[in-house]
mmCIF file of all heavy atoms in Angstrom:
data_model
loop_
_atom_site.group_PDB
_atom_site.id
_atom_site.type_symbol
_atom_site.label_atom_id
_atom_site.label_comp_id
_atom_site.label_asym_id
_atom_site.label_seq_id
_atom_site.Cartn_x
_atom_site.Cartn_y
_atom_site.Cartn_z
ATOM 1 N N LYS D 1 -34.524 11.932 98.213
ATOM 2 C CA LYS D 1 -34.276 11.599 99.613
ATOM 3 C C LYS D 1 -35.337 10.713 100.245
ATOM 4 O O LYS D 1 -35.034 9.774 100.961
ATOM 5 C CB LYS D 1 -34.171 12.921 100.423
ATOM 6 C CG LYS D 1 -33.644 12.638 101.852
ATOM 7 C CD LYS D 1 -33.219 13.903 102.474
ATOM 8 C CE LYS D 1 -32.492 13.539 103.787
ATOM 9 N NZ LYS D 1 -31.653 14.612 104.289
ATOM 10 N N LEU D 2 -36.588 10.891 99.847
ATOM 11 C CA LEU D 2 -37.699 10.111 100.365
ATOM 12 C C LEU D 2 -38.075 8.968 99.496
ATOM 13 O O LEU D 2 -39.014 8.246 99.778
ATOM 14 C CB LEU D 2 -38.864 11.050 100.632
ATOM 15 C CG LEU D 2 -38.697 12.058 101.632
ATOM 16 C CD1 LEU D 2 -40.037 13.015 101.632
ATOM 17 C CD2 LEU D 2 -38.452 11.524 103.037
ATOM 18 N N ASN D 3 -37.247 8.738 98.385
ATOM 19 C CA ASN D 3 -37.553 7.673 97.440
ATOM 20 C C ASN D 3 -39.063 7.803 96.952
ATOM 21 O O ASN D 3 -39.776 6.790 96.893
ATOM 22 C CB ASN D 3 -37.287 6.335 98.030
ATOM 23 C CG ASN D 3 -36.992 5.317 96.969
ATOM 24 O OD1 ASN D 3 -36.632 5.602 95.923
ATOM 25 N ND2 ASN D 3 -37.343 4.037 97.285
ATOM 26 N N GLN D 4 -39.484 8.992 96.674
ATOM 27 C CA GLN D 4 -40.891 9.235 96.294
ATOM 28 C C GLN D 4 -41.068 9.524 94.856
ATOM 29 O O GLN D 4 -40.363 10.315 94.228
ATOM 30 C CB GLN D 4 -41.360 10.490 97.098
ATOM 31 C CG GLN D 4 -42.727 10.939 96.800
ATOM 32 C CD GLN D 4 -43.851 10.021 97.319
ATOM 33 O OE1 GLN D 4 -43.873 9.748 98.477
ATOM 34 N NE2 GLN D 4 -44.700 9.630 96.445
ATOM 35 N N ASP D 5 -42.042 8.882 94.232
ATOM 36 C CA ASP D 5 -42.371 9.121 92.823
ATOM 37 C C ASP D 5 -43.384 10.240 92.766
ATOM 38 O O ASP D 5 -44.214 10.435 93.643
ATOM 39 C CB ASP D 5 -42.941 7.847 92.137
ATOM 40 C CG ASP D 5 -41.993 6.799 92.001
ATOM 41 O OD1 ASP D 5 -40.825 7.094 91.841
ATOM 42 O OD2 ASP D 5 -42.376 5.555 92.003
ATOM 43 N N ALA D 6 -43.350 11.078 91.711
ATOM 44 C CA ALA D 6 -44.271 12.160 91.545
ATOM 45 C C ALA D 6 -44.443 12.555 90.090
ATOM 46 O O ALA D 6 -43.532 12.286 89.291
ATOM 47 C CB ALA D 6 -43.761 13.382 92.319
ATOM 48 N N ILE D 7 -45.518 13.175 89.823
ATOM 49 C CA ILE D 7 -45.768 13.665 88.412
ATOM 50 C C ILE D 7 -45.979 15.209 88.571
ATOM 51 O O ILE D 7 -46.663 15.709 89.375
ATOM 52 C CB ILE D 7 -46.979 13.010 87.810
ATOM 53 C CG1 ILE D 7 -46.773 11.500 87.588
ATOM 54 C CG2 ILE D 7 -47.424 13.723 86.484
ATOM 55 C CD1 ILE D 7 -47.962 10.730 87.069
ATOM 56 N N LEU D 8 -45.331 15.862 87.568
ATOM 57 C CA LEU D 8 -45.463 17.329 87.418
ATOM 58 C C LEU D 8 -45.905 17.555 85.960
ATOM 59 O O LEU D 8 -45.407 17.045 85.030
ATOM 60 C CB LEU D 8 -44.113 18.022 87.692
ATOM 61 C CG LEU D 8 -43.935 19.469 87.276
ATOM 62 C CD1 LEU D 8 -44.830 20.359 88.032
ATOM 63 C CD2 LEU D 8 -42.465 19.827 87.451
ATOM 64 N N ILE D 9 -46.907 18.505 85.868
ATOM 65 C CA ILE D 9 -47.392 18.940 84.564
ATOM 66 C C ILE D 9 -46.880 20.353 84.299
ATOM 67 O O ILE D 9 -47.111 21.230 85.177
ATOM 68 C CB ILE D 9 -48.844 18.838 84.403
ATOM 69 C CG1 ILE D 9 -49.307 17.364 84.468
ATOM 70 C CG2 ILE D 9 -49.265 19.429 83.075
ATOM 71 C CD1 ILE D 9 -50.816 17.186 84.460
ATOM 72 N N ILE D 10 -46.208 20.606 83.229
ATOM 73 C CA ILE D 10 -45.919 21.991 82.795
ATOM 74 C C ILE D 10 -46.460 22.200 81.456
ATOM 75 O O ILE D 10 -46.152 21.601 80.484
ATOM 76 C CB ILE D 10 -44.314 22.112 82.747
ATOM 77 C CG1 ILE D 10 -43.664 21.698 84.012
ATOM 78 C CG2 ILE D 10 -43.995 23.568 82.406
ATOM 79 C CD1 ILE D 10 -42.125 21.678 83.963
ATOM 80 N N ASP D 11 -47.520 23.121 81.426
ATOM 81 C CA ASP D 11 -48.208 23.349 80.165
ATOM 82 C C ASP D 11 -47.746 24.678 79.524
ATOM 83 O O ASP D 11 -47.407 25.633 80.233
ATOM 84 C CB ASP D 11 -49.690 23.459 80.443
ATOM 85 C CG ASP D 11 -50.530 23.653 79.240
ATOM 86 O OD1 ASP D 11 -50.508 22.819 78.335
ATOM 87 O OD2 ASP D 11 -51.206 24.678 79.166
ATOM 88 N N ALA D 12 -47.663 24.668 78.277
ATOM 89 C CA ALA D 12 -47.353 25.865 77.381
ATOM 90 C C ALA D 12 -45.994 26.382 77.628
ATOM 91 O O ALA D 12 -45.779 27.619 77.969
ATOM 92 C CB ALA D 12 -48.497 26.963 77.615
ATOM 93 N N LEU D 13 -45.063 25.559 77.596
ATOM 94 C CA LEU D 13 -43.636 26.010 77.678
ATOM 95 C C LEU D 13 -43.277 27.200 76.786
ATOM 96 O O LEU D 13 -42.563 28.060 77.130
ATOM 97 C CB LEU D 13 -42.672 24.881 77.382
ATOM 98 C CG LEU D 13 -42.506 23.844 78.448
ATOM 99 C CD1 LEU D 13 -41.739 22.614 77.878
ATOM 100 C CD2 LEU D 13 -41.678 24.410 79.613
ATOM 101 N N ASP D 14 -43.906 27.213 75.587
ATOM 102 C CA ASP D 14 -43.682 28.288 74.655
ATOM 103 C C ASP D 14 -44.179 29.628 75.160
ATOM 104 O O ASP D 14 -43.798 30.737 74.652
ATOM 105 C CB ASP D 14 -44.331 27.958 73.323
ATOM 106 C CG ASP D 14 -45.769 27.592 73.437
ATOM 107 O OD1 ASP D 14 -46.069 26.641 73.998
ATOM 108 O OD2 ASP D 14 -46.615 28.464 72.962
ATOM 109 N N GLU D 15 -45.082 29.719 76.165
ATOM 110 C CA GLU D 15 -45.602 30.870 76.668
ATOM 111 C C GLU D 15 -44.838 31.393 77.895
ATOM 112 O O GLU D 15 -45.208 32.411 78.462
ATOM 113 C CB GLU D 15 -47.098 30.760 76.979
ATOM 114 C CG GLU D 15 -47.860 30.468 75.804
ATOM 115 C CD GLU D 15 -49.407 30.581 75.926
ATOM 116 O OE1 GLU D 15 -49.826 31.331 76.870
ATOM 117 O OE2 GLU D 15 -50.166 30.001 75.132
ATOM 118 N N CYS D 16 -43.843 30.750 78.220
ATOM 119 C CA CYS D 16 -42.918 31.167 79.279
ATOM 120 C C CYS D 16 -42.006 32.216 78.699
ATOM 121 O O CYS D 16 -41.306 31.983 77.709
ATOM 122 C CB CYS D 16 -42.100 29.952 79.776
ATOM 123 S SG CYS D 16 -40.765 30.418 80.984
ATOM 124 N N ASP D 17 -41.901 33.414 79.297
ATOM 125 C CA ASP D 17 -41.243 34.540 78.765
ATOM 126 C C ASP D 17 -39.740 34.157 78.738
ATOM 127 O O ASP D 17 -39.207 33.684 79.723
ATOM 128 C CB ASP D 17 -41.450 35.734 79.685
ATOM 129 C CG ASP D 17 -40.715 36.939 79.133
ATOM 130 O OD1 ASP D 17 -40.397 37.011 77.976
ATOM 131 O OD2 ASP D 17 -40.475 37.839 79.989
ATOM 132 N N ASN D 18 -39.076 34.361 77.696
ATOM 133 C CA ASN D 18 -37.674 34.100 77.576
ATOM 134 C C ASN D 18 -36.827 35.366 77.320
ATOM 135 O O ASN D 18 -35.596 35.245 76.973
ATOM 136 C CB ASN D 18 -37.431 33.062 76.400
ATOM 137 C CG ASN D 18 -36.129 32.249 76.577
ATOM 138 O OD1 ASN D 18 -35.765 31.977 77.718
ATOM 139 N ND2 ASN D 18 -35.435 32.007 75.510
ATOM 140 N N GLU D 19 -37.391 36.553 77.631
ATOM 141 C CA GLU D 19 -36.682 37.723 77.373
ATOM 142 C C GLU D 19 -35.339 37.755 78.241
ATOM 143 O O GLU D 19 -34.406 38.293 77.794
ATOM 144 C CB GLU D 19 -37.525 38.915 77.750
ATOM 145 C CG GLU D 19 -36.912 40.291 77.478
ATOM 146 C CD GLU D 19 -37.844 41.446 77.795
ATOM 147 O OE1 GLU D 19 -39.051 41.264 77.696
ATOM 148 O OE2 GLU D 19 -37.323 42.554 78.160
ATOM 149 N N HIS D 20 -35.479 37.247 79.408
ATOM 150 C CA HIS D 20 -34.180 37.203 80.301
ATOM 151 C C HIS D 20 -33.695 35.811 80.446
ATOM 152 O O HIS D 20 -32.999 35.530 81.406
ATOM 153 C CB HIS D 20 -34.548 37.889 81.676
ATOM 154 C CG HIS D 20 -35.020 39.222 81.530
ATOM 155 N ND1 HIS D 20 -34.148 40.344 81.195
ATOM 156 C CD2 HIS D 20 -36.232 39.762 81.711
ATOM 157 C CE1 HIS D 20 -34.887 41.418 81.132
ATOM 158 N NE2 HIS D 20 -36.108 41.135 81.452
ATOM 159 N N GLY D 21 -34.046 34.906 79.535
ATOM 160 C CA GLY D 21 -33.515 33.519 79.545
ATOM 161 C C GLY D 21 -34.334 32.557 80.440
ATOM 162 O O GLY D 21 -33.784 31.506 80.729
ATOM 163 N N GLY D 22 -35.467 32.951 80.973
ATOM 164 C CA GLY D 22 -36.154 32.107 81.871
ATOM 165 C C GLY D 22 -36.595 30.734 81.311
ATOM 166 O O GLY D 22 -36.377 29.655 81.979
ATOM 167 N N ARG D 23 -37.015 30.745 80.044
ATOM 168 C CA ARG D 23 -37.470 29.479 79.477
ATOM 169 C C ARG D 23 -36.240 28.594 79.223
ATOM 170 O O ARG D 23 -36.255 27.378 79.458
ATOM 171 C CB ARG D 23 -38.164 29.658 78.146
ATOM 172 C CG ARG D 23 -38.643 28.363 77.484
ATOM 173 C CD ARG D 23 -39.270 28.548 76.100
ATOM 174 N NE ARG D 23 -40.056 29.723 75.980
ATOM 175 C CZ ARG D 23 -39.970 30.573 74.890
ATOM 176 N NH1 ARG D 23 -39.146 30.217 73.873
ATOM 177 N NH2 ARG D 23 -40.662 31.627 74.853
ATOM 178 N N ASP D 24 -35.168 29.201 78.770
ATOM 179 C CA ASP D 24 -33.902 28.426 78.649
ATOM 180 C C ASP D 24 -33.422 27.820 79.959
ATOM 181 O O ASP D 24 -33.030 26.703 80.023
ATOM 182 C CB ASP D 24 -32.795 29.264 78.048
ATOM 183 C CG ASP D 24 -33.066 29.762 76.618
ATOM 184 O OD1 ASP D 24 -33.916 29.128 75.929
ATOM 185 O OD2 ASP D 24 -32.509 30.806 76.194
ATOM 186 N N GLU D 25 -33.550 28.591 81.082
ATOM 187 C CA GLU D 25 -33.169 28.028 82.344
ATOM 188 C C GLU D 25 -34.001 26.884 82.776
ATOM 189 O O GLU D 25 -33.535 25.858 83.232
ATOM 190 C CB GLU D 25 -33.277 29.163 83.442
ATOM 191 C CG GLU D 25 -32.238 30.133 83.399
ATOM 192 C CD GLU D 25 -32.365 31.166 84.572
ATOM 193 O OE1 GLU D 25 -33.503 31.713 84.684
ATOM 194 O OE2 GLU D 25 -31.375 31.456 85.242
ATOM 195 N N LEU D 26 -35.325 26.951 82.569
ATOM 196 C CA LEU D 26 -36.247 25.837 82.793
ATOM 197 C C LEU D 26 -35.891 24.691 82.015
ATOM 198 O O LEU D 26 -35.814 23.572 82.533
ATOM 199 C CB LEU D 26 -37.672 26.357 82.627
ATOM 200 C CG LEU D 26 -38.748 25.263 82.715
ATOM 201 C CD1 LEU D 26 -38.752 24.670 84.157
ATOM 202 C CD2 LEU D 26 -40.043 25.808 82.465
ATOM 203 N N LEU D 27 -35.741 24.827 80.680
ATOM 204 C CA LEU D 27 -35.411 23.725 79.829
ATOM 205 C C LEU D 27 -34.105 23.066 80.229
ATOM 206 O O LEU D 27 -33.996 21.845 80.238
ATOM 207 C CB LEU D 27 -35.375 24.149 78.379
ATOM 208 C CG LEU D 27 -36.708 24.574 77.787
ATOM 209 C CD1 LEU D 27 -36.591 25.126 76.361
ATOM 210 C CD2 LEU D 27 -37.677 23.361 77.807
ATOM 211 N N ASN D 28 -33.076 23.830 80.579
ATOM 212 C CA ASN D 28 -31.803 23.285 81.028
ATOM 213 C C ASN D 28 -31.991 22.548 82.337
ATOM 214 O O ASN D 28 -31.391 21.441 82.504
ATOM 215 C CB ASN D 28 -30.772 24.392 81.214
ATOM 216 C CG ASN D 28 -30.220 24.916 79.859
ATOM 217 O OD1 ASN D 28 -30.276 24.235 78.922
ATOM 218 N ND2 ASN D 28 -29.821 26.147 79.946
ATOM 219 N N ALA D 29 -32.799 23.019 83.214
ATOM 220 C CA ALA D 29 -33.005 22.321 84.503
ATOM 221 C C ALA D 29 -33.782 21.018 84.270
ATOM 222 O O ALA D 29 -33.499 19.987 84.894
ATOM 223 C CB ALA D 29 -33.825 23.176 85.443
ATOM 224 N N LEU D 30 -34.716 20.978 83.385
ATOM 225 C CA LEU D 30 -35.488 19.797 83.040
ATOM 226 C C LEU D 30 -34.557 18.785 82.335
ATOM 227 O O LEU D 30 -34.619 17.587 82.630
ATOM 228 C CB LEU D 30 -36.697 20.099 82.183
ATOM 229 C CG LEU D 30 -37.797 20.931 82.738
ATOM 230 C CD1 LEU D 30 -38.854 21.227 81.705
ATOM 231 C CD2 LEU D 30 -38.320 20.379 84.038
ATOM 232 N N GLN D 31 -33.760 19.199 81.482
ATOM 233 C CA GLN D 31 -32.844 18.387 80.706
ATOM 234 C C GLN D 31 -31.795 17.814 81.800
ATOM 235 O O GLN D 31 -31.486 16.610 81.667
ATOM 236 C CB GLN D 31 -32.071 19.110 79.623
ATOM 237 C CG GLN D 31 -31.162 18.210 78.886
ATOM 238 C CD GLN D 31 -30.445 18.969 77.755
ATOM 239 O OE1 GLN D 31 -30.385 20.240 77.677
ATOM 240 N NE2 GLN D 31 -29.865 18.304 76.863
ATOM 241 N N GLY D 32 -31.382 18.604 82.649
ATOM 242 C CA GLY D 32 -30.370 18.110 83.669
ATOM 243 C C GLY D 32 -30.970 17.087 84.516
ATOM 244 O O GLY D 32 -30.240 16.142 85.013
ATOM 245 N N GLN D 33 -32.264 17.116 84.873
ATOM 246 C CA GLN D 33 -32.871 16.150 85.751
ATOM 247 C C GLN D 33 -33.250 14.881 84.985
ATOM 248 O O GLN D 33 -33.443 13.855 85.656
ATOM 249 C CB GLN D 33 -34.029 16.745 86.501
ATOM 250 C CG GLN D 33 -35.315 16.775 85.747
ATOM 251 C CD GLN D 33 -36.163 15.520 85.869
ATOM 252 O OE1 GLN D 33 -36.027 14.704 86.780
ATOM 253 N NE2 GLN D 33 -36.920 15.232 84.799
ATOM 254 N N GLN D 34 -33.237 14.882 83.688
ATOM 255 C CA GLN D 34 -33.615 13.658 82.912
ATOM 256 C C GLN D 34 -32.806 12.450 83.316
ATOM 257 O O GLN D 34 -33.372 11.401 83.494
ATOM 258 C CB GLN D 34 -33.384 13.925 81.439
ATOM 259 C CG GLN D 34 -34.629 14.481 80.734
ATOM 260 C CD GLN D 34 -34.445 14.413 79.272
ATOM 261 O OE1 GLN D 34 -33.391 14.696 78.729
ATOM 262 N NE2 GLN D 34 -35.439 14.043 78.585
ATOM 263 N N SER D 35 -31.507 12.688 83.521
ATOM 264 C CA SER D 35 -30.685 11.484 83.845
ATOM 265 C C SER D 35 -30.543 11.325 85.342
ATOM 266 O O SER D 35 -30.198 10.266 85.827
ATOM 267 C CB SER D 35 -29.308 11.662 83.225
ATOM 268 O OG SER D 35 -28.686 12.883 83.678
ATOM 269 N N SER D 36 -30.826 12.358 86.108
ATOM 270 C CA SER D 36 -30.517 12.229 87.548
ATOM 271 C C SER D 36 -31.692 11.713 88.387
ATOM 272 O O SER D 36 -31.449 11.131 89.432
ATOM 273 C CB SER D 36 -30.111 13.638 88.062
ATOM 274 O OG SER D 36 -31.167 14.495 88.105
ATOM 275 N N SER D 37 -32.932 11.891 87.939
ATOM 276 C CA SER D 37 -34.030 11.503 88.848
ATOM 277 C C SER D 37 -35.161 10.803 88.025
ATOM 278 O O SER D 37 -35.999 11.434 87.486
ATOM 279 C CB SER D 37 -34.538 12.718 89.512
ATOM 280 O OG SER D 37 -35.695 12.413 90.272
ATOM 281 N N PRO D 38 -35.174 9.486 88.200
ATOM 282 C CA PRO D 38 -36.303 8.820 87.680
ATOM 283 C C PRO D 38 -37.565 8.933 88.599
ATOM 284 O O PRO D 38 -38.612 8.496 88.246
ATOM 285 C CB PRO D 38 -35.874 7.296 87.692
ATOM 286 C CG PRO D 38 -34.880 7.213 88.724
ATOM 287 C CD PRO D 38 -34.162 8.646 88.817
ATOM 288 N N ARG D 39 -37.394 9.586 89.699
ATOM 289 C CA ARG D 39 -38.542 9.791 90.618
ATOM 290 C C ARG D 39 -39.588 10.795 90.130
ATOM 291 O O ARG D 39 -40.732 10.573 90.341
ATOM 292 C CB ARG D 39 -37.974 10.415 91.952
ATOM 293 C CG ARG D 39 -37.100 9.494 92.716
ATOM 294 C CD ARG D 39 -37.909 8.544 93.610
ATOM 295 N NE ARG D 39 -37.266 7.274 93.599
ATOM 296 C CZ ARG D 39 -37.955 6.201 93.370
ATOM 297 N NH1 ARG D 39 -39.177 6.101 93.156
ATOM 298 N NH2 ARG D 39 -37.323 5.023 93.486
ATOM 299 N N LEU D 40 -39.136 11.739 89.309
ATOM 300 C CA LEU D 40 -40.050 12.787 88.811
ATOM 301 C C LEU D 40 -40.415 12.526 87.382
ATOM 302 O O LEU D 40 -39.468 12.483 86.546
ATOM 303 C CB LEU D 40 -39.507 14.239 89.019
ATOM 304 C CG LEU D 40 -40.279 15.348 88.484
ATOM 305 C CD1 LEU D 40 -41.651 15.413 89.336
ATOM 306 C CD2 LEU D 40 -39.456 16.657 88.618
ATOM 307 N N ARG D 41 -41.649 12.454 87.087
ATOM 308 C CA ARG D 41 -42.134 12.373 85.713
ATOM 309 C C ARG D 41 -42.802 13.699 85.388
ATOM 310 O O ARG D 41 -43.491 14.260 86.203
ATOM 311 C CB ARG D 41 -43.163 11.276 85.540
ATOM 312 C CG ARG D 41 -42.741 9.904 85.911
ATOM 313 C CD ARG D 41 -42.060 9.201 84.757
ATOM 314 N NE ARG D 41 -41.578 7.898 85.120
ATOM 315 C CZ ARG D 41 -42.158 6.780 84.702
ATOM 316 N NH1 ARG D 41 -43.232 6.829 83.956
ATOM 317 N NH2 ARG D 41 -41.719 5.599 85.052
ATOM 318 N N ILE D 42 -42.418 14.247 84.184
ATOM 319 C CA ILE D 42 -42.889 15.534 83.775
ATOM 320 C C ILE D 42 -43.600 15.426 82.466
ATOM 321 O O ILE D 42 -43.001 14.965 81.457
ATOM 322 C CB ILE D 42 -41.769 16.617 83.634
ATOM 323 C CG1 ILE D 42 -41.049 16.724 85.004
ATOM 324 C CG2 ILE D 42 -42.253 17.917 83.146
ATOM 325 C CD1 ILE D 42 -39.760 17.483 84.949
ATOM 326 N N LEU D 43 -44.895 15.807 82.464
ATOM 327 C CA LEU D 43 -45.637 15.944 81.209
ATOM 328 C C LEU D 43 -45.452 17.480 80.821
ATOM 329 O O LEU D 43 -45.945 18.310 81.577
ATOM 330 C CB LEU D 43 -47.091 15.534 81.372
ATOM 331 C CG LEU D 43 -48.001 15.924 80.204
ATOM 332 C CD1 LEU D 43 -47.626 15.290 78.856
ATOM 333 C CD2 LEU D 43 -49.423 15.638 80.511
ATOM 334 N N ALA D 44 -44.838 17.743 79.738
ATOM 335 C CA ALA D 44 -44.711 19.134 79.308
ATOM 336 C C ALA D 44 -45.313 19.261 77.939
ATOM 337 O O ALA D 44 -45.211 18.461 77.059
ATOM 338 C CB ALA D 44 -43.260 19.530 79.234
ATOM 339 N N THR D 45 -45.953 20.465 77.742
ATOM 340 C CA THR D 45 -46.629 20.733 76.450
ATOM 341 C C THR D 45 -46.012 22.077 75.962
ATOM 342 O O THR D 45 -45.545 22.942 76.691
ATOM 343 C CB THR D 45 -48.153 20.886 76.553
ATOM 344 O OG1 THR D 45 -48.444 22.060 77.190
ATOM 345 C CG2 THR D 45 -48.696 19.650 77.196
ATOM 346 N N GLY D 46 -46.059 22.261 74.660
ATOM 347 C CA GLY D 46 -45.655 23.490 73.988
ATOM 348 C C GLY D 46 -45.734 23.442 72.480
ATOM 349 O O GLY D 46 -46.098 22.469 71.898
ATOM 350 N N ARG D 47 -45.525 24.589 71.869
ATOM 351 C CA ARG D 47 -45.479 24.653 70.448
ATOM 352 C C ARG D 47 -44.115 24.241 70.018
ATOM 353 O O ARG D 47 -43.133 24.449 70.671
ATOM 354 C CB ARG D 47 -45.800 26.080 69.993
ATOM 355 C CG ARG D 47 -47.185 26.513 70.313
ATOM 356 C CD ARG D 47 -47.392 27.935 69.813
ATOM 357 N NE ARG D 47 -48.624 28.359 70.379
ATOM 358 C CZ ARG D 47 -49.016 29.648 70.585
ATOM 359 N NH1 ARG D 47 -48.128 30.607 70.122
ATOM 360 N NH2 ARG D 47 -50.110 30.003 71.098
ATOM 361 N N PRO D 48 -43.986 23.703 68.870
ATOM 362 C CA PRO D 48 -42.660 23.227 68.353
ATOM 363 C C PRO D 48 -41.688 24.350 67.880
ATOM 364 O O PRO D 48 -41.361 24.395 66.723
ATOM 365 C CB PRO D 48 -43.006 22.221 67.218
ATOM 366 C CG PRO D 48 -44.293 22.686 66.771
ATOM 367 C CD PRO D 48 -45.008 23.335 67.889
#
């Protein structure tokens, strides 16, 4: 809405608890925004 660029860092995605699907929800939200918003850049780290 504000045509604002931003950077977000998400570290250690593998340490996000996925017992109730939280990590999956986060990954789905990030994947969904990939095509919709060039405004937000995300540096994410994790184990493979």
